[in-house]
Amino acid sequence: MNNENIIEVENLVKKFGDFTANDNLCFEVRKSEIFGFLGANGAGKTTAIKILCGLLFPTSGKVMVAGYDVYKERNKIRKNIGYMSQGFSLYEDLTVKENIEFYAGIYGLKRTEIKTRFDDLVSKLGIEELKDKFVSDLPLGWKQKIAFSVAIFHKPQIVFLDEPTSGVDPITRRQFWDLIYEAVESGITVFVTTHYLDEAEYCDRVCIMAEGRIDAIGSPDELKSKYKSENMDEVFVKIARGTNKMNNK
Amino acid sequence: MRTVLIILRKEFRQIFRDRMMIPIIFIMPFVQTLVLVYAATLELKDTSITVVDLDRSDYSRNLISKFNASPFFKVNFQDYNYSNIEDDILKENTKSVIIIPDNFEKDIRNSIPVNLQMNINAIDGQSASLISIYVNQILAGFVKEKILHPTVLSQGQMPVSFNVKSRFLYNEELNFKHFMLPGILVILISMISIFLTALNLVKEKEKGTMEQINVTPIQKWQFLTGKMLPFMIIGIFELALGLTIGILMFDLPFEGSVLTLFVFALVYLFAGIGMGLLISDFASTQQQAMFTIFFFFLILILMSGIFTSVESMPDWAQTVNKINPLYYFMRILRSVILKGSTIADLIQEFLALVIMGVTIMSVAVWRYRKTN
């Protein structure tokens, strides 16, 4: 059962006019793992995540998410995923509670269910004092944690996180990863993009992207031994050099 | 259905929390009706004119006092030579200079045709022709009075005069405010439906919350219904508020049925909100949406017949108006309010609005994509 794939991508291509954002991607994500998408800005990470979430149509290729086809069964996919974008899309003029009630309501959760889960969340995060504050008044770190909590509030099978930790301090990032681990323990698969290479170490498997292509894929340990590196930083630099050499030929 | 209610609750919360929305909803109707109705008036009142009296007779003084007695004019200057007429008009000291010739009284008494010269500043053609009409009316009254007067008639001469009595239907006092008010209401409701809908939707795009909505399993119709209903409700409220202001402060007659008016308003709001949605489909920032709407809105409003008669527009303009929802709603509001027209009387306008509304809305909803 450890080979059960929750996401399967074969030959995914996405073009915007002449520009190829995703060039023939092939990978799969296993159930209950943390799958990291690494790469510089503009490597095509966000495009790939948007295709998996049903926000963009692929140009070609086969993409299955939670057992459903992104071409035909996007609405079934939507019921089974959570998504947190780079901008953590909470409504700034609604309170924390109102935001959660709104999104949970859209996912069709019953009112009593929302109340129980919300009370649990408040005690877990210790946000008794923050829950009735407007999101615009919260510090960035809290916005992030709450956006993540909103994304998994309806208990999806997979949660997609697009650069969730950009712009916050290391301590908040650490706390954020604790929340991710907790979600994985409850059975949620986490698909995360990042350009922080230390975060790659927290992932079960990572995939390194550059210029729309996948250059390497595997667990952090596998990649480190394959590229004879001490840490993911070195792996990344070696791969990037390789890409440059190819381009220079 | 519960999903729609959840969106409605969220929308109303946001609308009433927005610091700009309360003034827009409650103050704008007052400002538009009170300021615009007065400012956009074409009525002449106390227009200053200059009379150059070369005759200095009883008759000429009598005529001048008639000008002064009219509510339209104020004789601000009387002169006995006409050296600086052009100058005065050029400097906008006076709108019009009327010259009463020598022997004015004598010629009238002897039934010799009299020539009066009148110079009018015609930069604003519409008010120039109004001035000319009113001056002629006063002159006609004056002449009639003098000629019909027994002492003026020479022997055997019979006065010939037509006595045309006009009755102005539906706006008996030719009250320009009663003509303008329904027009202002059309602007008000159009702004609410087109601008607010488009800006509200584009704002969600800008903030990124639209993307978050699009990854949820919400159905397109649920989301759009929840988005558009509040503006339908606000639009109806604005119409009611604007009408109340008109009736209380401008004695606007209301001949038609309130129900008819609101049925029409709902149909029109549907089309207007559809236009707002359509524009939001294409705009990615509020600024883009704003400029796009402004461009179209200005054309549609000027062509709708708010200030000028559509019948006297060139043929191409009248053809364009066939697909201008504002044109239809302008006619509808004026007819229902001033004439008491029913839906049956305005069936063509009604059908046109329904067809346009359904078409615009269908295209707009079809263009709205959860996946790009």
Side-chain angles (χ1 to χ4, degrees):
Chain A
M1 284 301 280
N2 60 350
N3 244 352
E4 200 183 333
N5 293 332
I6 197 155
I7 297 175
E8 286 179 353
V9 176
E10 281 172 34
N11 308 320
L12 167 64
V13 175
K14 176 68 185 177
K15 288 184 179 169
F16 296 103
D18 287 340
F19 175 69
T20 307
N22 286 164
D23 190 357
N24 220 25
L25 306 187
C26 296
F27 62 90
E28 58 279 326
V29 177
R30 293 172 201 145
K31 207 163 184 158
S32 293
E33 72 173 349
I34 303 177
F35 187 84
F37 236 46
L38 264 68
N41 292 329
K45 295 174 300 197
T46 298
T47 305
I49 216 170
K50 282 189 177 172
I51 290 171
L52 294 173
C53 289
L55 288 170
L56 286 176
F57 281 116
T59 308
S60 64
K62 186 186 160 200
V63 182
M64 300 289 284
V65 177
Y68 301 110
D69 188 345
V70 293
Y71 292 95
K72 294 177 210 141
E73 301 168 299
R74 280 190 306 281
N75 241 6
K76 285 180 181 154
I77 293 177
R78 285 180 184 129
K79 284 186 184 129
N80 288 293
I81 62 167
Y83 170 65
M84 176 180 167
S85 69
Q86 286 174 17
F88 351 109
S89 324
L90 298 167
Y91 290 96
E92 302 256 313
D93 48 358
L94 296 184
T95 66
V96 172
K97 191 177 177 205
E98 287 164 349
N99 264 289
I100 291 176
E101 281 174 348
F102 171 68
Y103 282 115
I106 285 189
Y107 278 102
L109 266 64
K110 297 264 176 310
R111 199 163 305 167
T112 46
E113 184 70 31
I114 295 176
K115 200 183 172 311
T116 336
R117 288 195 202 178
F118 180 70
D119 290 342
D120 288 351
L121 182 71
V122 168
S123 59
K124 188 180 88 182
L125 294 178
I127 52 168
E128 190 57 44
E129 277 145 41
L130 295 181
K131 72 180 201 298
D132 290 319
K133 279 200 170 165
F134 289 119
V135 168
S136 55
D137 296 335
L138 300 183
L140 186 63
W142 274 113
K143 280 187 198 172
Q144 240 164 11
K145 284 179 221 168
I146 286 158
F148 178 72
S149 309
V150 168
I152 59 165
F153 199 81
H154 58 289
K155 298 192 174 154
Q157 290 191 49
I158 315 163
V159 64
F160 292 91
L161 311 172
D162 193 6
E163 302 201 355
T165 54
S166 56
V168 292
D169 59 87
I171 295 168
T172 314
R173 260 166 69 196
R174 187 64 241 185
Q175 289 171 342
F176 189 83
W177 275 90
D178 287 341
L179 287 178
I180 293 181
Y181 284 133
E182 217 175 297
V184 172
E185 254 157 55
S186 72
I188 296 176
T189 307
V190 176
F191 187 111
V192 57
T193 72
T194 180
H195 52 240
Y196 292 115
L197 293 161
D198 58 325
E199 288 187 345
E201 309 271 2
Y202 306 149
C203 299
D204 293 314
R205 288 194 312 133
V206 295
C207 163
I208 297 179
M209 276 192 84
E211 293 166 19
R213 274 171 286 107
I214 293 179
D215 284 340
I217 191 162
S219 71
D221 287 338
E222 278 167 21
L223 292 178
K224 276 184 273 188
S225 64
K226 187 178 170 192
Y227 290 92
K228 299 179 186 63
S229 308
E230 290 288 300
N231 52 39
M232 287 305 290
D233 238 9
E234 267 186 67
V235 172
F236 192 76
V237 169
K238 281 184 180 167
I239 288 172
R241 281 203 188 120
T243 314
N244 283 342
K245 265 180 210 158
M246 271 168 43
N247 284 352
N248 291 340
K249 268 179 193 171
Chain B
M1 214 33 231
R2 180 170 164 246
T3 314
V4 176
L5 288 177
I6 287 169
I7 299 168
L8 278 179
R9 185 176 60 179
K10 171 217 152 225
E11 289 304 323
F12 275 113
R13 265 183 184 149
Q14 288 185 304
I15 287 170
F16 288 110
R17 266 173 208 171
D18 189 332
R19 230 174 275 158
M20 284 307 292
M21 285 304 286
I22 301 301
I24 287 176
I25 294 171
F26 293 99
I27 311 289
M28 198 165 77
F30 282 95
V31 175
Q32 288 213 335
T33 44
L34 297 181
V35 176
L36 290 183
V37 168
Y38 281 115
T41 181
L42 287 179
E43 275 176 33
L44 280 187
K45 226 183 144 193
D46 289 341
T47 304
S48 58
I49 56 171
T50 299
V51 179
V52 179
D53 184 2
L54 299 177
D55 194 36
R56 276 166 282 172
S57 60
D58 266 0
Y59 271 31
S60 67
R61 275 189 288 272
N62 194 255
L63 179 61
I64 292 170
S65 71
K66 277 199 183 307
F67 281 125
N68 252 333
S70 139
F72 308 120
F73 300 117
K74 201 177 84 211
V75 180
N76 71 334
F77 195 69
Q78 298 178 38
D79 201 356
Y80 307 106
N81 63 68
Y82 46 118
S83 55
N84 44 7
I85 296 171
E86 289 256 7
D87 219 36
D88 268 0
I89 294 183
L90 193 68
K91 288 180 181 154
E92 306 261 337
N93 290 334
T94 184
K95 272 279 184 194
S96 169
V97 176
I98 297 160
I99 299 164
I100 302 176
D102 257 342
N103 302 325
F104 178 69
E105 180 170 346
K106 210 175 103 199
D107 287 352
I108 292 179
R109 284 183 186 281
N110 296 328
S111 294
I112 298 169
V114 179
N115 288 316
L116 262 91
Q117 197 194 114
M118 174 160 58
N119 303 278
I120 309 174
N121 178 348
I123 284 183
D124 174 0
Q126 209 148 13
S127 66
S129 56
L130 271 181
I131 291 175
S132 153
I133 289 167
Y134 289 141
V135 166
N136 274 308
Q137 262 176 18
I138 291 171
L139 284 175
F142 174 81
V143 169
K144 205 162 89 184
E145 189 185 303
K146 297 301 175 205
I147 294 177
L148 288 183
H149 204 275
T151 57
V152 183
L153 274 184
S154 40
Q155 281 179 336
Q157 194 181 352
M158 282 301 290
V160 180
S161 74
F162 293 98
N163 212 345
V164 179
K165 244 186 154 265
S166 324
R167 209 184 126 218
F168 297 105
L169 299 176
Y170 316 124
N171 187 355
E172 300 207 359
E173 297 137 42
L174 290 183
N175 189 329
F176 196 72
K177 293 181 191 80
H178 293 174
F179 173 73
M180 276 314 290
L181 248 164
I184 301 294
L185 292 180
V186 171
I187 296 186
L188 189 69
I189 292 168
S190 308
M191 284 181 69
I192 295 288
S193 54
I194 308 175
F195 278 84
L196 293 191
T197 309
L199 291 182
N200 180 290
L201 281 156
V202 177
K203 190 175 167 193
E204 294 236 12
K205 268 195 205 178
E206 265 184 352
K207 300 256 172 188
T209 44
M210 189 75 103
E211 200 176 77
Q212 197 69 46
I213 295 281
N214 285 345
V215 295
T216 70
I218 195 170
Q219 302 284 322
K220 199 153 100 169
W221 71 266
Q222 295 171 326
F223 179 65
L224 293 179
T225 308
K227 273 288 180 195
M228 294 188 285
L229 256 182
F231 298 109
M232 205 78 138
I233 296 167
I234 294 172
I236 291 292
F237 173 79
E238 295 289 280
L239 179 60
L241 183 58
L243 267 179
T244 311
I245 297 172
I247 291 168
L248 293 183
M249 310 194 69
F250 297 99
D251 293 320
L252 181 73
F254 192 91
E255 303 292 337
S257 103
V258 179
L259 185 70
T260 306
L261 193 73
F262 282 89
V263 169
F264 275 122
L266 279 176
V267 176
Y268 177 70
L269 278 167
F270 187 75
I273 290 171
M275 283 193 268
L277 174 61
L278 189 62
I279 284 164
S280 79
D281 285 341
F282 293 97
S284 45
T285 63
Q286 294 189 70
Q287 203 178 30
Q288 279 176 5
M290 204 68 177
F291 278 113
T292 317
I293 298 174
F294 228 83
F295 173 75
F296 288 111
F297 193 68
L298 213 60
I299 296 173
L300 294 183
I301 199 87
L302 287 176
M303 293 190 68
S304 70
I306 181 169
F307 300 119
T308 46
S309 155
V310 172
E311 283 74 21
S312 41
M313 287 180 191
D315 285 345
W316 64 264
Q318 298 197 32
T319 312
V320 172
N321 263 336
K322 289 213 172 10
I323 53 161
N324 179 0
L326 276 81
Y327 158 75
Y328 291 103
F329 197 50
M330 193 74 69
R331 285 176 71 98
I332 289 166
L333 269 194
R334 281 181 178 146
S335 308
V336 174
I337 293 175
L338 301 177
K339 281 201 300 194
S341 302
T342 61
I343 294 185
D345 298 330
L346 293 165
I347 192 70
Q348 264 186 306
E349 284 81 359
F350 184 76
L351 290 177
L353 274 189
V354 169
I355 292 168
M356 269 187 290
V358 171
T359 312
I360 295 170
M361 191 60 92
S362 311
V363 175
V365 171
W366 169 73
R367 275 295 317 176
Y368 178 84
R369 301 277 159 85
K370 284 185 77 180
T371 309
N372 286 304

